[in-house]
Amino acid sequence: MAFYFGLCALVFAVLLSVASPLYLVQANACDFSLGNWVLDDSHYPLYDASRDCPFIGRGFNCLRNGRPDQDYLKYRWKPSGCDLPRRFDGVNFLERYKGKKIMFVGDSISNNMWQSLTCLLHNAVPESSYALSTPTKYLSVFTIPEFDVSIIWLKNGFLVDVVHDKEKGRIVKLDSIKSGYMWKGDVLIFNTYHWWTHLNESETVQFQVGNETIKNMDPMEAYKIGLTTWSKWIDANIDPSMTKVLFQGIAASHFQGEGCLKETKPEEGAQPPYPGVEIVKNVLSSMSYPVYLLDITFLTQLRIDGHPSIYTGKGTSYVDCSHWCLAGAPDAWNEILFAVLLGL
């Protein structure tokens, strides 16, 4: 009997060691997606974008672009049922992921999160050398050689295939993925949403399933088909014992009404359902591979103050209520990532 219980304990330990990202949220017993923003000027911001992150994209550094208020830099996300680590431990992150590759695959919101993580890690070991390269116009690679850690962003707004036809315009092939061979890493963090709802109205865009071209498909229906194609690709091609997969949830934009212009404080209280969220949850729940949903929708719905607005460096006529200032809200996304990957 003692042998039996000992064997059970060993099996359980092995299961924990190869636990999927989905299991981690159960182990942490915390829903990070619910909570509120707390002003915490003793610990935030986690870095100075201009001083600590010389490689940061110009459009995300709102302070350098002339934003006069600074409280948006100092908010900490406080989950309702637990605590995130009070400060992002970049050294711990680098040590645990020594020799590993973490790849973000997605649109410019994915790039927002990738740039936040590179800033957080570089700021944790400022004396360590780093390298930033762009092997192609779609690929950006940030490395810290001392830890042999690579943080990669692969630009891919739809995840499914897109072709450009001179006569037909842009064609989004909802049931085809040929770029998946590039999705390689110990941790893969996928993102897709905004391109489906911000298609350029001046460009002809068509959706295609098989050989059938559909001109007037509802973007959310197309999103569901495309995301399902991605989910089937993950189920068929990724080994959960070797690779952790997360889906960076939908980040809210704030173009409705007067938008985010002149907003300086987060909103509070319940928020209305956000388009696309149920599609994401339903697709992920149907997968055999347990993908962890980094559910950032509600916390971004509250941060109407967190966008660059007119402080993108492009002049006051351009208002950005989709992307996020750095330092800012995306740092909380990476704090949640840190808690999920490494445990509390």
Side-chain angles (χ1 to χ4, degrees):
M1 184 63 71
F3 173 77
Y4 171 78
F5 284 115
L7 180 61
C8 287
L10 177 61
V11 171
F12 183 68
V14 171
L15 288 173
L16 283 178
S17 69
V18 297
S20 69
L22 183 61
Y23 180 81
L24 287 174
V25 72
Q26 296 168 346
N28 290 329
C30 181
D31 183 352
F32 298 119
S33 69
L34 299 177
N36 63 290
W37 291 96
V38 178
L39 194 62
D40 184 354
D41 55 8
S42 63
H43 296 90
Y44 290 77
L46 297 176
Y47 53 84
D48 180 312
S50 296
R51 182 190 66 220
D52 302 326
C53 308
F55 44 81
I56 195 172
R58 180 185 179 186
F60 298 153
N61 191 345
C62 303
L63 200 60
R64 185 180 63 182
N65 293 330
R67 181 165 177 170
D69 62 300
Q70 297 188 22
D71 279 354
Y72 74 93
L73 297 164
K74 304 171 185 178
Y75 283 99
R76 169 172 58 87
W77 178 245
K78 172 65 175 66
S80 298
C82 57
D83 286 313
L84 287 166
R86 184 53 66 93
R87 192 169 184 86
F88 184 89
D89 190 345
V91 174
N92 188 356
F93 192 109
L94 290 166
E95 289 176 343
R96 290 184 182 239
Y97 278 86
K98 190 171 185 177
K100 306 293 186 180
K101 293 181 179 180
I102 297 175
M103 173 178 276
F104 291 83
V105 183
D107 56 26
S108 54
I109 308 299
S110 176
N111 175 253
N112 228 166
M113 185 174 178
W114 171 76
Q115 289 214 8
S116 164
L117 184 57
T118 59
C119 285
L120 287 166
L121 295 178
H122 173 60
N123 189 49
V125 288
E127 301 304 318
S128 297
S129 62
Y130 71 88
L132 179 60
S133 62
T134 52
T136 73
K137 65 178 181 178
Y138 299 109
L139 186 66
S140 299
V141 182
F142 179 87
T143 58
I144 299 182
E146 179 182 347
F147 295 89
D148 191 23
V149 171
S150 298
I151 312 296
I152 305 163
W153 175 56
L154 178 63
K155 184 179 181 180
N156 188 330
F158 290 102
L159 298 183
V160 295
D161 293 334
V162 179
V163 297
H164 295 271
D165 186 277
K166 290 183 178 180
E167 296 181 358
K168 297 181 179 179
R170 182 162 53 171
I171 301 174
V172 182
K173 296 188 173 184
L174 299 177
D175 59 349
S176 175
I177 292 179
K178 294 181 180 179
S179 60
Y181 70 93
M182 301 176 68
W183 302 345
K184 296 179 181 179
D186 300 280
V187 178
L188 298 175
I189 305 166
F190 292 93
N191 158 259
T192 183
Y193 178 73
H194 283 281
W195 282 22
W196 300 87
T197 59
H198 291 83
L199 296 172
N200 190 342
E201 295 180 358
S202 66
E203 179 185 6
T204 302
V205 178
Q206 301 180 28
F207 297 110
Q208 182 174 310
V209 178
N211 294 321
E212 181 183 1
T213 300
I214 307 169
K215 293 184 178 180
N216 298 312
M217 178 180 283
D218 174 37
M220 286 296 95
E221 179 62 24
Y223 180 60
K224 179 180 178 181
I225 297 172
L227 198 62
T228 299
T229 298
W230 166 83
S231 72
K232 291 179 178 178
W233 191 96
I234 294 296
D235 279 341
N237 293 278
I238 299 296
D239 182 349
S241 68
M242 301 294 292
T243 304
K244 295 177 181 178
V245 177
L246 298 91
F247 188 86
Q248 178 187 340
I250 296 172
S253 60
H254 292 90
F255 285 106
Q256 301 81 4
E258 296 185 6
C260 62
L261 188 64
K262 297 182 180 179
E263 295 289 347
T264 60
K265 294 182 180 180
E267 295 184 343
E268 298 180 354
Q271 299 293 310
Y274 201 83
V277 171
E278 287 305 311
I279 293 174
V280 171
K281 291 181 177 179
N282 289 337
V283 169
L284 296 188
S285 67
S286 68
M287 297 176 66
S288 58
Y289 187 109
V291 173
Y292 179 87
L293 173 60
L294 190 68
D295 189 351
I296 59 174
T297 303
F298 176 68
L299 65 90
T300 54
Q301 281 182 290
L302 298 178
R303 287 305 304 271
I304 191 170
D305 65 309
H307 299 290
S309 183
I310 59 174
Y311 304 106
T312 64
K314 296 182 179 180
T316 57
S317 62
Y318 178 73
V319 182
D320 184 351
C321 296
S322 288
H323 299 97
W324 302 88
C325 297
L326 295 178
D331 302 326
W333 312 349
N334 282 308
E335 289 180 293
I336 296 172
L337 174 67
F338 175 81
V340 170
L341 291 179
L342 309 182
L344 291 175

